[in-house]
Amino acid sequence: MTTIVESRTDSAESYASAVGGGAEVVEALDALRRHLDQRPNEYAVVLGPNVHLDGAIKLAESLRVTRPALSVILLRHRVDANVLTEALRSGMREVVEERDLTGLGQAVRRAYTLSEALGGNDVSPENEGAGKVITVFSAKGGVGKTTISTNLAVLLARAGHSTCLIDLDLAFGDVAVSLQILPTRTFVDAVPMGGELDPASLESLLTPYRDGLMTLIAPLQPTAKDTIPPELVGRVLDMLKQRFDYIVVDTAPAFDDHVLKAFDHTDLLLLLLTLDVPAVKAAKIALETLDLINYPRDRVRLILNRADSKVGLGGFEVEKALGAKVMASIPSAREVPASINRGEPITTAHPRHPVTQALEELARLCVAKVSTPNATADSTAPAEAGGHRSRSRFARKARA
């Protein structure tokens, strides 16, 4: 990815737009150093015109030795011979005038090509494609898939993990609406790239959200789904796994070809249901279908949403009917639909709410499961709604 160092918000937004949606922004060099410590695969750093030249030179001299595949690109109000000489002598790859946004974009693309040639995007063979895919699915609509997906992604990003949220309900996705995101590009924009799609191009399709969370939004027109080949879903996920710690996938409520392709690349499948007979029936059929296609049961976990609803059906009856344990239970609350209507995740709007605490516990369990794939979380007793750890403890464990 690309990191931009710039304290002025309007300028940072212009630079980020020029280099693609995957760019992240920090305000100062001290913050950049901490940022880079957590991102071994970064391939370009853009230093804005307000970064002092002496500090920029010291940074470039250091990175030239410690991160040779990482390109430092310097932006200046005016490029003269003295600045150019000092910058290139320190190890900076390029110097660009701040108004030359086209030139900036080209410089970043050259930085990516150089990093690929030097092997800088693969820290080591064992870390290749190390990102984990967590897919949220239900064969029935209206059970809260998008709410769980968006909040889970927000929590993972807030805990310090590089995270991307994909809206794979390609006909009727609601991630953009739920987060009040106005994307300039969506999943369908990957189609014309075809075989030329590469990580740098894919990053240009991503839309940033808060806390460093990136999103890949579903097409705005339902008919665009038919133009997206299922194989493209697999290619996109493979590329994102090279860039992010976690990819959270919100799916359509159907076993369509796009969803099945996502399953092939999924490390943890969260099968969501609620306390009503149609939802339990849909979950049972989903489990049977997964068995028919030989999907590994150890990757599947049941999540019970609105678990404290007083409807004459409880978690024990659900587990008995499905023959599987519930990994996590999320309580119901009227604050949840209220937060959705405001376009703000409940984990942000109400940090201490019981629903937030339950979602934090779900995030912790997901991290634990994909970190130790042989864990037998489904053999434990079902989680009780409301009885969950605090966010600070989840964040500490997630960073460990």
Side-chain angles (χ1 to χ4, degrees), residues 38 155-161 246 360 363-364 367-368 371 389-400:
Q38 300 179 5
L155 288 171
L156 290 170
R158 193 182 298 165
H161 302 290
Y246 293 99
E360 287 167 353
R364 186 192 69 79
V367 169
S371 299
R389 293 177 175 84
S390 67
R391 177 189 175 274
S392 60
R393 183 168 181 180
F394 159 66
R396 287 197 300 271
K397 291 182 76 65
R399 292 190 182 98

PDB file of all heavy atoms in Angstrom, residues 38 155-161 246 360 363-364 367-368 371 389-400:
ATOM      1  N   GLN A  38       4.069  -1.642  11.547  1.00  0.00           N
ATOM      2  CA  GLN A  38       2.967  -2.601  11.477  1.00  0.00           C
ATOM      3  C   GLN A  38       2.635  -3.010  10.049  1.00  0.00           C
ATOM      4  O   GLN A  38       1.736  -3.804   9.822  1.00  0.00           O
ATOM      5  CB  GLN A  38       1.708  -2.007  12.137  1.00  0.00           C
ATOM      6  CG  GLN A  38       1.895  -1.661  13.609  1.00  0.00           C
ATOM      7  CD  GLN A  38       0.635  -1.056  14.205  1.00  0.00           C
ATOM      8  OE1 GLN A  38      -0.404  -0.964  13.574  1.00  0.00           O
ATOM      9  NE2 GLN A  38       0.738  -0.650  15.466  1.00  0.00           N
ATOM     10  N   LEU A 155     -14.320  -3.219  14.247  1.00  0.00           N
ATOM     11  CA  LEU A 155     -13.606  -3.610  15.461  1.00  0.00           C
ATOM     12  C   LEU A 155     -12.212  -4.155  15.145  1.00  0.00           C
ATOM     13  O   LEU A 155     -11.240  -3.852  15.853  1.00  0.00           O
ATOM     14  CB  LEU A 155     -14.413  -4.654  16.232  1.00  0.00           C
ATOM     15  CG  LEU A 155     -15.664  -4.131  16.940  1.00  0.00           C
ATOM     16  CD1 LEU A 155     -16.482  -5.292  17.487  1.00  0.00           C
ATOM     17  CD2 LEU A 155     -15.290  -3.166  18.056  1.00  0.00           C
ATOM     18  N   LEU A 156     -12.096  -4.951  14.107  1.00  0.00           N
ATOM     19  CA  LEU A 156     -10.794  -5.500  13.741  1.00  0.00           C
ATOM     20  C   LEU A 156      -9.830  -4.379  13.342  1.00  0.00           C
ATOM     21  O   LEU A 156      -8.661  -4.375  13.728  1.00  0.00           O
ATOM     22  CB  LEU A 156     -10.940  -6.500  12.597  1.00  0.00           C
ATOM     23  CG  LEU A 156     -11.623  -7.825  12.954  1.00  0.00           C
ATOM     24  CD1 LEU A 156     -11.917  -8.629  11.694  1.00  0.00           C
ATOM     25  CD2 LEU A 156     -10.767  -8.647  13.914  1.00  0.00           C
ATOM     26  N   ALA A 157     -10.331  -3.412  12.563  1.00  0.00           N
ATOM     27  CA  ALA A 157      -9.492  -2.287  12.156  1.00  0.00           C
ATOM     28  C   ALA A 157      -9.109  -1.438  13.359  1.00  0.00           C
ATOM     29  O   ALA A 157      -7.962  -0.997  13.494  1.00  0.00           O
ATOM     30  CB  ALA A 157     -10.218  -1.449  11.106  1.00  0.00           C
ATOM     31  N   ARG A 158     -10.058  -1.207  14.248  1.00  0.00           N
ATOM     32  CA  ARG A 158      -9.792  -0.382  15.427  1.00  0.00           C
ATOM     33  C   ARG A 158      -8.775  -1.044  16.363  1.00  0.00           C
ATOM     34  O   ARG A 158      -8.044  -0.364  17.080  1.00  0.00           O
ATOM     35  CB  ARG A 158     -11.108  -0.129  16.176  1.00  0.00           C
ATOM     36  CG  ARG A 158     -11.030   0.952  17.230  1.00  0.00           C
ATOM     37  CD  ARG A 158     -12.365   1.084  17.935  1.00  0.00           C
ATOM     38  NE  ARG A 158     -13.424   1.478  17.002  1.00  0.00           N
ATOM     39  CZ  ARG A 158     -14.712   1.391  17.290  1.00  0.00           C
ATOM     40  NH1 ARG A 158     -15.120   0.883  18.436  1.00  0.00           N
ATOM     41  NH2 ARG A 158     -15.606   1.778  16.400  1.00  0.00           N
ATOM     42  N   ALA A 159      -8.724  -2.373  16.320  1.00  0.00           N
ATOM     43  CA  ALA A 159      -7.777  -3.095  17.171  1.00  0.00           C
ATOM     44  C   ALA A 159      -6.367  -3.109  16.594  1.00  0.00           C
ATOM     45  O   ALA A 159      -5.465  -3.691  17.183  1.00  0.00           O
ATOM     46  CB  ALA A 159      -8.262  -4.538  17.380  1.00  0.00           C
ATOM     47  N   GLY A 160      -6.180  -2.473  15.456  1.00  0.00           N
ATOM     48  CA  GLY A 160      -4.842  -2.359  14.892  1.00  0.00           C
ATOM     49  C   GLY A 160      -4.546  -3.296  13.746  1.00  0.00           C
ATOM     50  O   GLY A 160      -3.425  -3.323  13.235  1.00  0.00           O
ATOM     51  N   HIS A 161      -5.540  -4.084  13.318  1.00  0.00           N
ATOM     52  CA  HIS A 161      -5.336  -4.992  12.183  1.00  0.00           C
ATOM     53  C   HIS A 161      -5.678  -4.268  10.878  1.00  0.00           C
ATOM     54  O   HIS A 161      -6.677  -3.559  10.813  1.00  0.00           O
ATOM     55  CB  HIS A 161      -6.239  -6.220  12.314  1.00  0.00           C
ATOM     56  CG  HIS A 161      -6.035  -6.997  13.571  1.00  0.00           C
ATOM     57  ND1 HIS A 161      -4.912  -7.743  13.819  1.00  0.00           N
ATOM     58  CD2 HIS A 161      -6.824  -7.134  14.665  1.00  0.00           C
ATOM     59  CE1 HIS A 161      -5.011  -8.320  15.012  1.00  0.00           C
ATOM     60  NE2 HIS A 161      -6.161  -7.959  15.538  1.00  0.00           N
ATOM     61  N   TYR A 246      -6.989  -9.040   7.717  1.00  0.00           N
ATOM     62  CA  TYR A 246      -8.321  -9.650   7.702  1.00  0.00           C
ATOM     63  C   TYR A 246      -9.154  -9.064   6.568  1.00  0.00           C
ATOM     64  O   TYR A 246      -9.129  -7.856   6.321  1.00  0.00           O
ATOM     65  CB  TYR A 246      -9.055  -9.419   9.034  1.00  0.00           C
ATOM     66  CG  TYR A 246      -8.398 -10.149  10.182  1.00  0.00           C
ATOM     67  CD1 TYR A 246      -7.546  -9.471  11.045  1.00  0.00           C
ATOM     68  CD2 TYR A 246      -8.608 -11.511  10.383  1.00  0.00           C
ATOM     69  CE1 TYR A 246      -6.921 -10.140  12.095  1.00  0.00           C
ATOM     70  CE2 TYR A 246      -7.979 -12.184  11.416  1.00  0.00           C
ATOM     71  CZ  TYR A 246      -7.139 -11.494  12.264  1.00  0.00           C
ATOM     72  OH  TYR A 246      -6.512 -12.168  13.283  1.00  0.00           O
ATOM     73  N   GLU A 360     -17.572  -7.317  20.343  1.00  0.00           N
ATOM     74  CA  GLU A 360     -16.145  -7.365  20.672  1.00  0.00           C
ATOM     75  C   GLU A 360     -15.714  -8.789  21.007  1.00  0.00           C
ATOM     76  O   GLU A 360     -14.640  -9.245  20.616  1.00  0.00           O
ATOM     77  CB  GLU A 360     -15.855  -6.431  21.844  1.00  0.00           C
ATOM     78  CG  GLU A 360     -15.917  -4.956  21.461  1.00  0.00           C
ATOM     79  CD  GLU A 360     -15.936  -4.043  22.662  1.00  0.00           C
ATOM     80  OE1 GLU A 360     -16.031  -4.556  23.808  1.00  0.00           O
ATOM     81  OE2 GLU A 360     -15.863  -2.817  22.478  1.00  0.00           O
ATOM     82  N   ALA A 363     -15.447 -10.676  17.779  1.00  0.00           N
ATOM     83  CA  ALA A 363     -14.191 -10.350  17.101  1.00  0.00           C
ATOM     84  C   ALA A 363     -13.022 -11.083  17.745  1.00  0.00           C
ATOM     85  O   ALA A 363     -12.147 -11.614  17.044  1.00  0.00           O
ATOM     86  CB  ALA A 363     -13.960  -8.834  17.121  1.00  0.00           C
ATOM     87  N   ARG A 364     -12.996 -11.129  19.063  1.00  0.00           N
ATOM     88  CA  ARG A 364     -11.917 -11.829  19.761  1.00  0.00           C
ATOM     89  C   ARG A 364     -11.927 -13.310  19.412  1.00  0.00           C
ATOM     90  O   ARG A 364     -10.872 -13.907  19.142  1.00  0.00           O
ATOM     91  CB  ARG A 364     -12.065 -11.655  21.274  1.00  0.00           C
ATOM     92  CG  ARG A 364     -10.898 -12.227  22.067  1.00  0.00           C
ATOM     93  CD  ARG A 364     -11.218 -12.309  23.539  1.00  0.00           C
ATOM     94  NE  ARG A 364     -12.239 -13.315  23.822  1.00  0.00           N
ATOM     95  CZ  ARG A 364     -12.001 -14.616  23.889  1.00  0.00           C
ATOM     96  NH1 ARG A 364     -10.791 -15.087  23.671  1.00  0.00           N
ATOM     97  NH2 ARG A 364     -12.985 -15.455  24.146  1.00  0.00           N
ATOM     98  N   VAL A 367     -10.591 -13.859  15.827  1.00  0.00           N
ATOM     99  CA  VAL A 367      -9.135 -13.751  15.778  1.00  0.00           C
ATOM    100  C   VAL A 367      -8.493 -15.009  16.351  1.00  0.00           C
ATOM    101  O   VAL A 367      -7.547 -15.564  15.786  1.00  0.00           O
ATOM    102  CB  VAL A 367      -8.655 -12.500  16.536  1.00  0.00           C
ATOM    103  CG1 VAL A 367      -7.136 -12.512  16.720  1.00  0.00           C
ATOM    104  CG2 VAL A 367      -9.080 -11.241  15.794  1.00  0.00           C
ATOM    105  N   ALA A 368      -9.021 -15.478  17.476  1.00  0.00           N
ATOM    106  CA  ALA A 368      -8.476 -16.683  18.103  1.00  0.00           C
ATOM    107  C   ALA A 368      -8.639 -17.895  17.190  1.00  0.00           C
ATOM    108  O   ALA A 368      -7.740 -18.733  17.081  1.00  0.00           O
ATOM    109  CB  ALA A 368      -9.150 -16.925  19.450  1.00  0.00           C
ATOM    110  N   SER A 371      -6.332 -17.694  14.105  1.00  0.00           N
ATOM    111  CA  SER A 371      -4.932 -17.765  14.522  1.00  0.00           C
ATOM    112  C   SER A 371      -4.550 -19.182  14.907  1.00  0.00           C
ATOM    113  O   SER A 371      -3.403 -19.599  14.749  1.00  0.00           O
ATOM    114  CB  SER A 371      -4.683 -16.834  15.706  1.00  0.00           C
ATOM    115  OG  SER A 371      -4.963 -15.494  15.360  1.00  0.00           O
ATOM    116  N   ARG A 389     -16.323  -9.707  27.321  1.00  0.00           N
ATOM    117  CA  ARG A 389     -15.186  -8.913  27.740  1.00  0.00           C
ATOM    118  C   ARG A 389     -15.293  -7.506  27.179  1.00  0.00           C
ATOM    119  O   ARG A 389     -15.965  -7.256  26.207  1.00  0.00           O
ATOM    120  CB  ARG A 389     -13.878  -9.565  27.257  1.00  0.00           C
ATOM    121  CG  ARG A 389     -13.597 -10.891  27.932  1.00  0.00           C
ATOM    122  CD  ARG A 389     -12.332 -11.501  27.342  1.00  0.00           C
ATOM    123  NE  ARG A 389     -11.957 -12.714  28.041  1.00  0.00           N
ATOM    124  CZ  ARG A 389     -12.444 -13.901  27.783  1.00  0.00           C
ATOM    125  NH1 ARG A 389     -13.356 -14.044  26.839  1.00  0.00           N
ATOM    126  NH2 ARG A 389     -12.049 -14.967  28.460  1.00  0.00           N
ATOM    127  N   SER A 390     -14.536  -6.607  27.782  1.00  0.00           N
ATOM    128  CA  SER A 390     -14.541  -5.221  27.328  1.00  0.00           C
ATOM    129  C   SER A 390     -13.712  -5.077  26.069  1.00  0.00           C
ATOM    130  O   SER A 390     -12.883  -5.898  25.742  1.00  0.00           O
ATOM    131  CB  SER A 390     -13.951  -4.308  28.421  1.00  0.00           C
ATOM    132  OG  SER A 390     -12.572  -4.604  28.581  1.00  0.00           O
ATOM    133  N   ARG A 391     -13.890  -3.946  25.388  1.00  0.00           N
ATOM    134  CA  ARG A 391     -13.166  -3.703  24.156  1.00  0.00           C
ATOM    135  C   ARG A 391     -11.672  -3.604  24.397  1.00  0.00           C
ATOM    136  O   ARG A 391     -10.867  -4.075  23.603  1.00  0.00           O
ATOM    137  CB  ARG A 391     -13.668  -2.415  23.506  1.00  0.00           C
ATOM    138  CG  ARG A 391     -12.874  -2.107  22.243  1.00  0.00           C
ATOM    139  CD  ARG A 391     -13.187  -0.735  21.703  1.00  0.00           C
ATOM    140  NE  ARG A 391     -12.309  -0.484  20.581  1.00  0.00           N
ATOM    141  CZ  ARG A 391     -11.084   0.007  20.701  1.00  0.00           C
ATOM    142  NH1 ARG A 391     -10.583   0.277  21.880  1.00  0.00           N
ATOM    143  NH2 ARG A 391     -10.332   0.216  19.619  1.00  0.00           N
ATOM    144  N   SER A 392     -11.261  -2.962  25.493  1.00  0.00           N
ATOM    145  CA  SER A 392      -9.837  -2.774  25.727  1.00  0.00           C
ATOM    146  C   SER A 392      -9.127  -4.116  25.839  1.00  0.00           C
ATOM    147  O   SER A 392      -8.018  -4.288  25.346  1.00  0.00           O
ATOM    148  CB  SER A 392      -9.623  -1.951  26.998  1.00  0.00           C
ATOM    149  OG  SER A 392     -10.191  -2.604  28.120  1.00  0.00           O
ATOM    150  N   ARG A 393      -9.767  -5.089  26.467  1.00  0.00           N
ATOM    151  CA  ARG A 393      -9.136  -6.397  26.583  1.00  0.00           C
ATOM    152  C   ARG A 393      -9.055  -7.068  25.229  1.00  0.00           C
ATOM    153  O   ARG A 393      -8.057  -7.704  24.895  1.00  0.00           O
ATOM    154  CB  ARG A 393      -9.918  -7.273  27.560  1.00  0.00           C
ATOM    155  CG  ARG A 393      -9.255  -8.630  27.764  1.00  0.00           C
ATOM    156  CD  ARG A 393      -9.868  -9.360  28.928  1.00  0.00           C
ATOM    157  NE  ARG A 393      -9.204 -10.637  29.111  1.00  0.00           N
ATOM    158  CZ  ARG A 393      -9.534 -11.491  30.071  1.00  0.00           C
ATOM    159  NH1 ARG A 393     -10.467 -11.185  30.932  1.00  0.00           N
ATOM    160  NH2 ARG A 393      -8.905 -12.645  30.170  1.00  0.00           N
ATOM    161  N   PHE A 394     -10.113  -6.921  24.405  1.00  0.00           N
ATOM    162  CA  PHE A 394     -10.057  -7.494  23.054  1.00  0.00           C
ATOM    163  C   PHE A 394      -8.922  -6.877  22.278  1.00  0.00           C
ATOM    164  O   PHE A 394      -8.171  -7.560  21.604  1.00  0.00           O
ATOM    165  CB  PHE A 394     -11.382  -7.246  22.312  1.00  0.00           C
ATOM    166  CG  PHE A 394     -11.233  -7.330  20.827  1.00  0.00           C
ATOM    167  CD1 PHE A 394     -10.920  -8.530  20.217  1.00  0.00           C
ATOM    168  CD2 PHE A 394     -11.353  -6.199  20.027  1.00  0.00           C
ATOM    169  CE1 PHE A 394     -10.752  -8.605  18.840  1.00  0.00           C
ATOM    170  CE2 PHE A 394     -11.183  -6.279  18.662  1.00  0.00           C
ATOM    171  CZ  PHE A 394     -10.881  -7.488  18.084  1.00  0.00           C
ATOM    172  N   ALA A 395      -8.764  -5.559  22.379  1.00  0.00           N
ATOM    173  CA  ALA A 395      -7.720  -4.888  21.618  1.00  0.00           C
ATOM    174  C   ALA A 395      -6.350  -5.372  22.038  1.00  0.00           C
ATOM    175  O   ALA A 395      -5.483  -5.593  21.205  1.00  0.00           O
ATOM    176  CB  ALA A 395      -7.827  -3.367  21.796  1.00  0.00           C
ATOM    177  N   ARG A 396      -6.139  -5.576  23.333  1.00  0.00           N
ATOM    178  CA  ARG A 396      -4.849  -6.047  23.803  1.00  0.00           C
ATOM    179  C   ARG A 396      -4.575  -7.446  23.274  1.00  0.00           C
ATOM    180  O   ARG A 396      -3.479  -7.758  22.807  1.00  0.00           O
ATOM    181  CB  ARG A 396      -4.794  -6.043  25.323  1.00  0.00           C
ATOM    182  CG  ARG A 396      -4.693  -4.635  25.924  1.00  0.00           C
ATOM    183  CD  ARG A 396      -4.219  -4.748  27.373  1.00  0.00           C
ATOM    184  NE  ARG A 396      -5.137  -5.525  28.190  1.00  0.00           N
ATOM    185  CZ  ARG A 396      -6.164  -5.009  28.844  1.00  0.00           C
ATOM    186  NH1 ARG A 396      -6.425  -3.718  28.736  1.00  0.00           N
ATOM    187  NH2 ARG A 396      -6.949  -5.762  29.575  1.00  0.00           N
ATOM    188  N   LYS A 397      -5.582  -8.312  23.328  1.00  0.00           N
ATOM    189  CA  LYS A 397      -5.378  -9.695  22.870  1.00  0.00           C
ATOM    190  C   LYS A 397      -5.190  -9.726  21.367  1.00  0.00           C
ATOM    191  O   LYS A 397      -4.408 -10.515  20.848  1.00  0.00           O
ATOM    192  CB  LYS A 397      -6.572 -10.565  23.273  1.00  0.00           C
ATOM    193  CG  LYS A 397      -6.670 -10.787  24.777  1.00  0.00           C
ATOM    194  CD  LYS A 397      -7.838 -11.685  25.097  1.00  0.00           C
ATOM    195  CE  LYS A 397      -7.559 -13.126  24.791  1.00  0.00           C
ATOM    196  NZ  LYS A 397      -6.521 -13.747  25.585  1.00  0.00           N
ATOM    197  N   ALA A 398      -5.910  -8.868  20.645  1.00  0.00           N
ATOM    198  CA  ALA A 398      -5.803  -8.868  19.197  1.00  0.00           C
ATOM    199  C   ALA A 398      -4.434  -8.425  18.733  1.00  0.00           C
ATOM    200  O   ALA A 398      -3.929  -8.864  17.724  1.00  0.00           O
ATOM    201  CB  ALA A 398      -6.870  -7.943  18.584  1.00  0.00           C
ATOM    202  N   ARG A 399      -3.818  -7.491  19.479  1.00  0.00           N
ATOM    203  CA  ARG A 399      -2.494  -7.024  19.095  1.00  0.00           C
ATOM    204  C   ARG A 399      -1.402  -7.964  19.490  1.00  0.00           C
ATOM    205  O   ARG A 399      -0.288  -7.876  19.016  1.00  0.00           O
ATOM    206  CB  ARG A 399      -2.225  -5.657  19.732  1.00  0.00           C
ATOM    207  CG  ARG A 399      -3.093  -4.534  19.183  1.00  0.00           C
ATOM    208  CD  ARG A 399      -2.598  -3.199  19.676  1.00  0.00           C
ATOM    209  NE  ARG A 399      -3.429  -2.127  19.195  1.00  0.00           N
ATOM    210  CZ  ARG A 399      -4.385  -1.584  19.912  1.00  0.00           C
ATOM    211  NH1 ARG A 399      -4.618  -1.983  21.114  1.00  0.00           N
ATOM    212  NH2 ARG A 399      -5.115  -0.606  19.409  1.00  0.00           N
ATOM    213  N   ALA A 400      -1.700  -8.892  20.427  1.00  0.00           N
ATOM    214  CA  ALA A 400      -0.660  -9.778  20.933  1.00  0.00           C
ATOM    215  C   ALA A 400      -0.161 -10.721  19.844  1.00  0.00           C
ATOM    216  O   ALA A 400      -0.878 -11.085  18.961  1.00  0.00           O
ATOM    217  CB  ALA A 400      -1.218 -10.602  22.080  1.00  0.00           C
TER     218      ALA A 400
END
